[in-house]
Amino acid sequence: QVQLVETGGGVVRPGGSLTLSCVASGFVFSSYGMQWVRQAPGKGLEWVAFIGYDGRNKFYADSVKGRVTISRDNSKNTLYLEVSSLRPEDTAVYYCAKDHRAARPKDFHYWGQGTLVSVSS
Amino acid sequence: DIQMTQSPSSLSASLGDRVTFTCQASQAITKNLNWYQQKPGRAPKLLINDASNLETGVPSRFSGTGSGTDFSFTIDSLQPEDIATYYCQQYDRLPITFGQGTRLEIK
């Protein structure tokens, strides 16, 4: 069965950075697009970034563009999200998700359990 | 950006009721819309893609319809396990955007 396991969250000071990881199993990772979505405490869902199956197509939300880099290592079945210049408004649970499609974002077919990033001084 | 507006924001219904809520896009998105269910403390779950296609394993009491700008989501015969927040999401144009959610409660 499909499994997505995120790690890397934690408490970070404003202006700091961190890298989130998502290890995938149960499907052919290199064949699907992958995404990051976040959810601030008590709030709705916000799309963050998408990466195509081969890493060539990358798309970002305006709210994080320039501060976030999505990447993947298909040999390790792992998705990454590097986030820098963190702001308090970046505080959220970050979910990785598998897309139905390979090269363009469509949906969040399977989700990880999420990892909490808390930006606070 | 395409704005997705869900209504109502919250809904209280009785077990066995037929429940319907809506999602409106700020511009036409054909059928490029998905629906998710999120239970408290859990990750969301994809229920319906392309406005009306039920995901494998999702009970048939869930259904979706619509195209263009107006979409609806229906639960026939509300069950206790359906208590959750439901989100619509468009993928017609980047950035991907979600509705603000409809919180479903038991009356």
Side-chain angles (χ1 to χ4, degrees):
Chain A
Q1 74 281 20
V2 172
Q3 271 203 305
L4 299 169
V5 179
E6 303 99 332
T7 58
V11 180
V12 187
R13 293 191 185 278
S17 61
L18 53 63
T19 298
L20 307 180
S21 300
C22 171
V23 177
S25 60
F27 65 101
V28 181
F29 181 72
S30 59
S31 294
Y32 293 93
M34 296 293 294
Q35 313 215 49
W36 289 96
V37 178
R38 67 184 182 181
Q39 187 169 35
K43 302 297 184 181
L45 301 168
E46 181 186 17
W47 173 70
V48 175
F50 169 90
I51 186 168
Y53 70 105
D54 60 359
R56 284 193 291 179
N57 286 357
K58 299 181 184 182
F59 305 106
Y60 299 97
D62 285 345
S63 59
V64 299
K65 199 174 290 184
R67 300 189 298 120
V68 159
T69 300
I70 189 170
S71 62
R72 64 192 296 161
D73 186 337
N74 286 344
S75 69
K76 296 182 178 178
N77 285 0
T78 302
L79 174 72
Y80 303 98
L81 188 73
E82 300 172 58
V83 191
S84 62
S85 302
L86 279 158
R87 307 164 179 168
E89 54 265 36
D90 294 318
T91 294
V93 174
Y94 286 71
Y95 295 100
C96 74
K98 170 193 172 293
D99 201 304
H100 256 114
R101 297 201 298 209
R104 293 280 298 182
K106 175 185 179 180
D107 58 29
F108 308 90
H109 188 200
Y110 288 99
W111 298 65
Q113 84 288 351
T115 186
L116 176 63
V117 173
S118 182
V119 184
S120 172
S121 54
Chain B
D1 297 4
I2 298 177
Q3 269 203 305
M4 307 302 293
T5 303
Q6 291 186 242
S7 61
S9 296
S10 63
L11 177 59
S12 185
S14 301
L15 295 177
D17 280 355
R18 187 171 197 254
V19 173
T20 296
F21 35 88
T22 65
C23 176
Q24 186 170 58
S26 60
Q27 56 189 277
I29 58 171
T30 61
K31 292 194 169 192
N32 295 332
L33 180 109
N34 305 313
W35 288 97
Y36 299 84
Q37 175 193 66
Q38 186 178 32
K39 298 181 180 181
R42 304 285 297 274
K45 176 184 177 183
L46 177 63
L47 298 182
I48 290 174
N49 67 75
D50 297 339
S52 59
N53 294 333
L54 209 61
E55 281 292 309
T56 302
V58 174
S60 58
R61 65 179 180 274
F62 296 101
S63 63
T65 188
S67 66
T69 60
D70 296 308
F71 301 85
S72 64
F73 178 89
T74 297
I75 306 174
D76 284 326
S77 189
L78 185 66
Q79 301 299 304
E81 60 266 31
D82 300 336
I83 300 313
T85 299
Y86 292 82
Y87 295 94
C88 61
Q89 169 247 320
Q90 68 81 22
Y91 62 94
D92 190 74
R93 296 184 191 183
L94 292 174
I96 285 181
T97 48
F98 291 89
Q100 82 282 10
T102 291
R103 185 174 178 177
L104 182 55
E105 300 171 336
I106 296 289
K107 193 180 291 182

